[in-house]
Amino acid sequence: GRRVDWLYREIGAVAGAIDDVRRGASPLHYQPGHPFGWQPQMYAGEMAYGIALDDGAGHFAELHARALPYPEALRTAKLAELWEAWFALDVAAKPATRGDVAYVAGCLWRAASVIVQALFALDRRYLLNEKGATRLVGGFALAPSDVTGRIEAALGALGRSSEDLAAAIEELRRLTAETEGLAAVSAR
């Protein structure tokens, strides 16, 4: 009665991804089906959270052990990327005054994805996939109040007027600031 994914991965690529995230590197790569982008932390997370049904050669056990605990270097790097949310929101402001819905929507999506990834890092949890990620962060111990509802409201009701677009930008600005505040508190 449980859904199961069978994942086949090249062991060297997975080991390299784990090495990357342990150093704090999780570069973003465009990949269809991954609107947040594909990142090495996804492979590391699969190894950290996955369950091997058969590991006769012991590869899974070795990679699983290397993927845990969540690397502090990755946490630091993901929190440092909050600048990109600010940048996306700043560059969206002028097109919003012209009612450029498509451009603003892309910028808001990027800002929201950076916020979500920062919240995963604050919770020391690998982001495996974008699907459901915004809903998951709503249950994290370190998250802005009603973060899920606020992101969904900002992205789900963009509107077409410059006023509506500006309101969505401002909501994500508040969430970015609150996320930075949580990061600063957790660093103490």
Side-chain angles (χ1 to χ4, degrees), residues 5 20 25 36 73 81 85 93-94 96 99 113 130 135 137-138 141 151 156 162 167:
D5 286 342
D20 286 345
F36 277 14
E81 290 175 4
K94 189 172 181 181
S113 73
E130 305 87 341
R135 298 246 167 112
V137 296
I151 289 173
S162 58

Side-chain angles (χ1 to χ4, degrees), residues 21 52 88 93 119 150 184:
V21 300
L119 293 171
R150 292 165 67 192

Side-chain angles (χ1 to χ4, degrees), residues 15-91:
I18 293 170
D19 291 342
D20 286 345
V21 300
R22 288 174 65 169
R23 288 191 318 272
S26 190
L28 182 68
H29 303 283
Y30 173 75
Q31 180 173 325
H34 283 282
F36 277 14
W38 184 88
Q39 302 169 56
Q41 71 167 313
M42 294 173 172
Y43 277 178
E46 288 174 356
M47 296 313 304
Y49 307 138
I51 298 169
L53 299 179
D54 181 11
D55 189 28
H59 297 299
F60 181 89
E62 187 263 325
L63 293 170
H64 175 77
R66 286 176 53 196
L68 292 170
Y70 183 92
E72 285 302 307
L74 179 62
R75 185 177 195 257
T76 300
K78 286 295 166 190
L79 294 174
E81 290 175 4
L82 279 166
W83 72 267
E84 189 184 343
W86 289 116
F87 182 79
L89 297 167
D90 287 346
V91 299

Side-chain angles (χ1 to χ4, degrees), residues 86-113:
W86 289 116
F87 182 79
L89 297 167
D90 287 346
V91 299
K94 189 172 181 181
T97 65
R98 297 188 299 265
D100 190 343
V101 176
Y103 184 81
V104 172
C107 290
L108 293 178
W109 166 254
R110 188 65 203 144
S113 73

